[in-house]
Amino acid sequence: MAHFGVLGPLAVEGPPGHWVALRGERQRTLLAVLLLNAGRPVPADVLVEALWPAGPPKSATSNLHTYLSRLRERIDGLRVEHGPLGYRLQVEPAELDLLGFRAAVAEGRQAADPVAAAEHYRRALALWRGPVLAGLHVPRLEADVARLESERLAVFEDCVDAELAAGRHGELTGELQAMIAEHPLRERPAAQLMTALHRAGQQGSALEVYRRLRTTLIEELGVEPGAEARRVHAAVLRGEDPVPRLPPPVWPVCQLPPDIGDFTGRDAELAELTAVLGAGGGVPVAVLSGEPGAGKSTLAVRAAHRLRGQFPDGQLYVPLAGRDIGEVLADLLRALGVPGPAVPDDARARAAVFRGRLSDRRVLVVLDDAADPGHVRALLPGTPGCAVLVTSRRRLSGLAGAHRLALGPLSGADAAELLDRLAGARVARERADAERIVTACARLPLALRIAGSRLAIRPHLRLGELADRLEDEVRRLDELTVSDLAVRSSIALSYEGLRPPARRAFRLLGRCQLADLPAWAVTTLVGDPDADEAVEELVEASLLEARGPDPTGEGRYRMHDLVRLYAAELPEPSSAEGVRTVLAATLALADAAAARLPRTVPMPSPAHEPPAQPLPASLVERLLARPDDWFAAERANLVLLIGTLGARDALLLLDRLGVYLYLHGQYADMRAAYETVLAAADPPVATVAEATLTLLRHARGEYEEAALRYRACAKELEAHGDRRTHAWVSANLAHCLIGLGRAEEALQTAAHARELFTVDGSAAELGWVRAAESAALLRLGRVSDAREVDRTALAAARSTGDARVIGEALHGYAWSSLLTGDDPGAAAAIAESVTLLRGTKARSALAKSLRTLGAISAATGARAEATAAFEEARSLARELDERPRELSCTRALAAAWIGEGRAAQAIPVLRACLDEYGELGSRPAAGLTWLVLHRAYEAAGDPESAEKAAAEAASLADPRDASAAALRRALLALTEPPIRRAAPPGPA
């Protein structure tokens, strides 16, 4: 079930934490209009006006259907119904923040208790992430957006009224001042601020609010304040409370600090704490631990306030940091009504009296910043009915029977929302810089609160300027200081509580730049017989996070960014040999892991000597038993290392990582890493990096741009004398030119690549060149020559015994066999190719052979096998982000829909394919698509469009192109209705 957000930037969340990216402004506009009218039909002309405000094109209706189809493809489970009144989007309140907002507001207005009403209103307001549809300008929706903003303001004012009635005025002042600064003409929040200030004993400030309001109204509108504002003003002048309050609580004691108004997120943690502490039975104890700055105390106070109704006899709040337990107990006893002379002198006796005072009562005890399990035990109630919530920098593992909750950073959305609440509306306007600040603050509430406070007190400070300062690791901790809040001092308290071995381990771990560390690396880094004990102490102190085993089975440890920066500031340990050993071992593991994987990236490997491995052979074998798993576990670390090495070493490591990334289609990570190397490399290394980046463009179908860049790289490589890389780049260029329909040029380029390869070139190298030659020859109609090239390539491949090399050679041989009329030979060769490639990790090659299996099956009348092969090939290509292959499979499946009587469904899909082929510059592919579209229009009864499509297909056709002819045969076969076999005659 998808979740949608319009109360802020348009957001679509598929599975939890997976955000759906919508392509194109019109897709987003269409979804926005449907969401703002969720549950109501939207006429088609309203949608057209929203999509094309300057005037719709002639094909507006067809385009609208296309955009709706793309939305359904992008968003799993999207429910859009089409009826006589228009299009209706069906969502539940839990699936759309706007509906959830209105449902919570309705609950607040039905609540008889102002405390309950305020909670409902706060829940509603918490769903707002910024201005409605921020970043999306739709003129047709401007009135709706304005109405929603007015609705939000009204709900905020209702919420303040409820909280004033409940006696909560202290935490409202800042919010109301911010509201008035943004909306100076609204009288209701001004009256509310006067009430809050008056209750806080600031009568003069309250009267000043009225004076400013009156001056503004007279200057701007020429009117006096309304009756409500005047009534509150008069009450303040008389010294009376303008708003009746709830009667004072009847509980014996409530020591909780105020719950902060801008608390953000932690819904799951709050639910867990309230469930544990409110469950009843015995004396439940919950320990809330986490790294410095994670917001443990703030969350504890929020949870305690939520639980007040379940503990009517009181809530005790006990700050423990640096305090003697005897003094703590004495203060508690006095708060519980024990007169001073009756407080025992002995701490144990005080604990006994404390337990006696709490017997048969329902009291929640909050112990903040506990450092020792023994202190907590002395403060535990002895009888059922009470509960204890403990916050600690340590896990307090010695506290038996406690429920433990480790608090990590905020989620990305909650961190952004907190910054927005603290710094105001400009966060939404400068969203990219705000995200940089959130990242630099490691999503920790303390760091975010400091950054937000600095922005709030310095309105002229641009978010980009603060982000630049925070991204400088040398000064980041200096920047995260405001007033009495400082991230550095918070971490220092935890560090100072460590024993010397753990302090040394902490400093060593701070020197390591990796994202997280496997257990072997931590042990090697610390290099001490007591390493395990020191590491356990760091985990207990929440300065190091222990994680579960990675895919290799190795446990992992992570030091969060701000903690690592503090550790790096400390004096370097006397010996840092462990850091160098971990680096050398990691580089050697990457080299060995890459050697165990098939090399599918069509670029040469740099020549190098295998690095020495300092780890024991048994450990290396265990870690690399499944090299894919090792790369998956260490990928983030390897990317970080690439940014710290010299250009040549970085290129060598990246080549090893690239073996894994290219094999699994993880082109985005590969592209980012090569761009890092390119930015810092000298010309020879930079050219190799640029050639690989061009290969990634090629894989995504950016043929024109890739061809230009391949040529530039080839010139540079020739000048540097790098014959081997030059050969690979020329072969890649030949394949790229085939995609562009330039067969003669491709054949010449492939021949040049063959000359550049040495006489002892490997079967894989020569096979790649021969594949380009064969494809070019087929485009030129030289089918027998192509068949001979493929036969030679297959013989060379079989001599290697390598299943992947053989499978790829069989693919070319199968296709040329089909074109020479050997249908049985083609079917047998492509079936063997698919079978062999399924047993390898070469998913891109498998997708290619599956697509050809589909074409050969279609051409030879095996329709069901064809559609199944195209479906599987498309799924693989989509996972690998190989857009050209995905498009060709989509086109084939659309052709099959025509044969099944679903031409109307096929037409918009084929039109979308044409648009993308036009962007890719692939004339042969576009011509075949027009041909299929011609059949679709014929089947749909649109002869005029069919004629135009046929003309377009004819204009792009190359009569020499044997490959295109074979594909035409396959695609046209799919457009024909399936042959239905007659049933056998029944018994006479």
Side-chain angles (χ1 to χ4, degrees):
M1 178 178 67
H3 294 266
F4 303 91
V6 295
L7 304 180
L10 179 64
V12 183
E13 185 181 18
H18 295 273
W19 299 95
V20 178
L22 297 179
R23 298 173 180 166
E25 193 77 0
R26 291 199 175 99
Q27 274 195 34
R28 299 172 65 227
T29 296
L30 176 58
L31 180 61
V33 176
L34 293 172
L35 287 172
L36 284 194
N37 294 276
R40 303 193 304 269
V42 184
D45 58 347
V46 172
L47 294 174
V48 169
E49 180 186 347
L51 290 171
W52 294 280
K58 292 181 181 179
S59 58
T61 303
S62 173
N63 291 350
L64 175 60
H65 293 162
T66 299
Y67 290 131
L68 282 167
S69 298
R70 290 179 180 174
L71 278 179
R72 290 189 179 101
E73 289 179 1
R74 295 290 294 166
I75 304 172
D76 188 33
L78 185 71
R79 303 187 296 275
V80 180
E81 301 171 356
H82 186 203
L85 298 179
Y87 295 85
R88 184 202 314 267
L89 175 62
Q90 294 287 11
V91 290
E92 300 298 326
E95 297 171 335
L96 176 59
D97 57 6
L98 174 57
L99 297 182
F101 167 76
R102 287 174 172 162
V105 170
E107 291 176 357
R109 287 173 178 158
Q110 293 169 3
D113 175 16
V115 174
E119 289 179 354
H120 290 305
Y121 290 138
R122 284 293 179 189
R123 180 161 51 88
L125 293 168
L127 294 172
W128 285 71
R129 298 169 289 113
V132 176
L133 298 176
L136 183 64
H137 177 64
V138 184
R140 188 66 177 74
L141 296 179
E142 288 177 353
D144 295 319
V145 169
R147 280 193 296 272
L148 279 174
E149 178 60 21
S150 297
E151 191 175 337
R152 180 187 73 83
L153 295 176
V155 171
F156 172 79
E157 292 164 358
D158 290 345
C159 179
V160 173
D161 277 346
E163 293 185 330
L164 288 173
R168 302 175 181 172
H169 55 272
E171 58 265 41
L172 293 173
T173 304
E175 284 186 276
L176 287 167
Q177 287 171 336
M179 175 64 74
I180 292 170
E182 192 172 355
H183 303 280
L185 298 178
R186 291 185 76 91
E187 297 185 39
R188 189 176 174 193
Q192 293 168 333
L193 180 56
M194 284 190 279
T195 301
L197 290 170
H198 177 63
R199 286 185 181 174
Q202 301 179 45
Q203 185 180 26
S205 298
L207 295 174
E208 177 61 17
V209 171
Y210 181 81
R211 186 193 67 76
R212 288 199 303 269
L213 171 67
R214 182 172 181 271
T215 299
T216 301
L217 289 172
I218 291 173
E219 290 179 352
E220 297 289 331
L221 304 177
V223 298
E224 291 281 346
E228 177 63 13
R230 293 198 305 272
R231 183 191 67 77
V232 173
H233 178 240
V236 172
L237 286 172
R238 294 192 301 269
E240 300 172 356
D241 190 348
V243 180
R245 281 186 282 185
L246 291 177
V250 296
W251 308 321
V253 61
C254 181
Q255 298 180 333
L256 292 177
D259 188 10
I260 62 172
D262 53 18
F263 185 92
T264 304
R266 304 297 194 195
D267 293 337
E269 292 88 346
L270 277 170
E272 184 175 341
L273 288 175
T274 53
V276 169
L277 297 173
V283 180
V285 179
V287 176
L288 185 58
S289 63
E291 64 184 299
K296 300 179 289 293
S297 299
T298 305
L299 176 59
V301 170
R302 168 59 63 102
H305 276 285
R306 284 200 175 183
L307 288 163
R308 286 179 64 186
Q310 298 183 49
F311 297 95
D313 291 316
Q315 303 85 41
L316 298 173
Y317 181 80
V318 188
L320 290 175
R323 299 182 63 195
D324 177 76
I325 196 65
E327 294 178 3
V328 169
L329 283 164
D331 288 345
L332 285 171
L333 293 179
R334 285 189 287 268
L336 293 173
V338 178
V343 174
D345 293 333
D346 181 66
R348 293 186 180 181
R350 290 176 181 179
V353 175
F354 173 69
R355 290 192 293 271
R357 297 293 288 186
L358 295 186
S359 62
D360 300 323
R361 302 176 80 179
R362 294 192 58 78
V363 174
L364 174 64
V365 181
V366 181
L367 305 177
D368 188 34
D369 205 6
D372 186 282
H375 289 177
V376 175
R377 295 189 196 101
L379 297 170
L380 295 179
T383 55
C386 295
V388 180
L389 174 55
V390 186
T391 75
S392 178
R393 295 165 183 268
R394 296 179 172 271
R395 290 175 48 84
L396 301 183
S397 301
L399 195 60
H403 177 89
R404 288 177 174 79
L405 174 59
L407 199 60
L410 292 169
S411 69
D414 289 340
E417 182 181 349
L418 176 58
L419 187 64
D420 185 81
R421 288 186 173 192
L422 293 164
R426 59 187 171 137
V427 171
R429 294 194 302 269
E430 303 175 49
R431 180 60 62 191
D433 290 326
E435 291 176 359
R436 292 168 58 204
I437 292 173
V438 167
T439 300
C441 291
R443 305 198 313 276
L444 287 176
L446 174 60
L448 287 165
R449 189 165 294 282
I450 292 170
S453 298
R454 292 191 62 189
L455 291 169
I457 62 179
R458 298 178 64 187
H460 63 281
L461 180 60
R462 293 182 298 102
L463 269 69
E465 183 180 348
L466 180 57
D468 290 341
R469 297 179 184 178
L470 292 174
E471 286 176 343
D472 180 356
E473 292 195 350
V474 174
R475 60 187 296 185
R476 186 180 303 172
L477 293 178
D478 293 328
E479 295 292 334
L480 290 176
T481 302
V482 65
S483 186
D484 61 342
L485 299 177
V487 169
R488 182 183 280 109
S489 59
S490 177
I491 302 171
L493 287 174
S494 296
Y495 172 74
E496 289 162 4
L498 299 174
R499 290 177 296 176
R503 289 189 179 189
R504 177 180 177 275
F506 181 72
R507 297 199 303 275
L508 282 168
L509 288 167
R511 291 290 181 282
C512 194
Q513 299 295 315
L514 301 184
D516 65 349
L517 289 168
W520 70 262
V522 172
T523 304
T524 303
L525 191 68
V526 176
D528 188 283
D530 298 326
D532 289 344
E533 186 177 340
V535 169
E536 287 176 6
E537 185 175 351
L538 291 176
V539 173
E540 181 73 13
S542 300
L543 291 172
L544 188 66
E545 179 186 1
R547 298 186 165 192
D550 63 24
T552 70
E554 192 78 356
R556 300 192 78 86
Y557 295 90
R558 179 180 179 84
M559 182 177 281
H560 287 282
D561 288 348
L562 297 178
V563 176
R564 178 180 56 79
L565 290 177
Y566 176 82
E569 290 182 346
L570 298 171
E572 185 173 350
S574 56
S575 173
E577 183 61 31
V579 176
R580 291 185 286 274
T581 303
V582 169
L583 176 60
T586 302
L587 296 176
L589 285 168
D591 191 74
R596 298 186 183 201
L597 292 176
R599 184 178 182 87
T600 58
V601 54
M603 285 290 290
S605 175
H608 72 289
E609 290 291 330
Q613 175 57 266
L615 298 180
S618 59
L619 174 59
V620 171
E621 187 57 36
R622 179 169 64 81
L623 293 175
L624 300 185
R626 295 182 300 276
D628 275 309
D629 289 344
W630 185 83
F631 271 120
E634 299 295 346
R635 182 178 63 179
N637 282 336
L638 297 176
V639 170
L640 281 175
L641 278 177
I642 287 165
T644 65
L645 298 173
R648 292 189 179 277
D649 290 338
L651 184 65
L652 180 60
L653 175 57
L654 180 49
D655 177 77
R656 297 298 174 258
L657 176 60
V659 170
Y660 165 79
L661 296 176
Y662 196 85
L663 182 64
H664 292 277
Q666 295 173 4
Y667 299 147
D669 282 355
M670 194 169 172
R671 183 164 49 253
Y674 270 100
E675 285 172 350
T676 299
V677 173
L678 181 63
D682 292 329
V685 173
T687 305
V688 174
E690 178 62 41
T692 308
L693 286 168
T694 303
L695 172 66
L696 300 177
R697 288 180 177 273
H698 182 177
R700 294 178 60 191
E702 300 174 17
Y703 295 137
E704 290 283 4
E705 181 66 21
L708 290 172
R709 290 174 180 257
Y710 275 141
R711 293 187 188 282
C713 289
K715 289 181 180 179
E716 291 290 330
L717 292 165
E718 185 175 17
H720 299 147
D722 188 347
R723 183 184 181 92
R724 189 175 183 79
T725 309
H726 186 187
W728 276 101
V729 168
S730 296
N732 292 338
L733 174 58
H735 283 275
C736 186
L737 291 169
I738 291 165
L740 289 167
R742 303 177 193 169
E744 294 93 340
E745 196 176 350
L747 189 59
Q748 294 171 3
T749 305
H752 180 54
R754 183 199 288 269
E755 291 174 5
L756 287 169
F757 277 120
T758 56
V759 291
D760 58 344
S762 70
E765 292 170 338
L766 295 176
W768 185 237
V769 177
R770 285 173 177 142
E773 288 178 334
S774 173
L777 289 167
L778 291 174
R779 297 278 189 188
L780 295 171
R782 296 165 57 183
V783 177
S784 59
D785 291 343
R787 178 78 179 280
E788 188 57 36
V789 169
D790 289 330
R791 191 193 310 276
T792 302
L794 180 57
R798 287 197 187 278
S799 69
T800 68
D802 186 320
R804 179 183 65 84
V805 176
I806 299 169
E808 292 178 354
L810 278 165
H811 167 270
Y813 182 74
W815 190 242
S816 59
S817 295
L818 179 73
L819 270 60
T820 55
D822 182 6
D823 290 0
I830 197 61
E832 184 184 358
S833 173
V834 168
T835 300
L836 285 172
L837 292 172
R838 284 195 193 281
T840 72
K841 299 177 183 295
R843 296 197 300 159
S844 178
L846 175 60
K848 185 177 181 181
S849 285
L850 281 167
R851 181 183 62 176
T852 300
L853 173 61
I856 292 175
S857 299
T860 55
R863 184 187 187 88
E865 291 84 347
T867 54
F870 280 127
E871 286 280 10
E872 186 179 357
R874 182 172 70 166
S875 177
L876 273 173
R878 184 173 292 161
E879 290 176 17
L880 297 170
D881 194 25
E882 293 180 346
R883 189 59 179 156
R885 189 164 296 145
E886 182 184 351
L887 282 173
S888 63
C889 293
T890 299
R891 177 183 61 201
L893 292 169
W897 294 347
I898 299 169
E900 295 164 5
R902 299 156 61 193
Q905 183 179 351
I907 288 171
V909 172
L910 291 167
R911 298 289 313 186
C913 288
L914 273 176
D915 291 342
E916 294 207 47
Y917 278 133
E919 294 174 5
L920 298 178
S922 181
R923 288 173 56 85
L928 288 168
T929 308
W930 276 113
L931 181 68
V932 179
L933 193 58
H934 159 70
R935 284 294 182 93
Y937 282 131
E938 281 187 333
D942 186 350
E944 182 179 350
S945 297
E947 184 179 351
K948 291 179 181 178
E952 291 284 357
S955 69
L956 294 171
D958 182 348
R960 302 173 302 171
D961 193 339
S963 281
L967 280 173
R968 277 197 299 273
R969 172 186 167 191
L971 292 171
L972 292 179
L974 290 172
T975 65
E976 298 293 337
I979 298 174
R980 305 193 181 280
R981 302 183 183 276

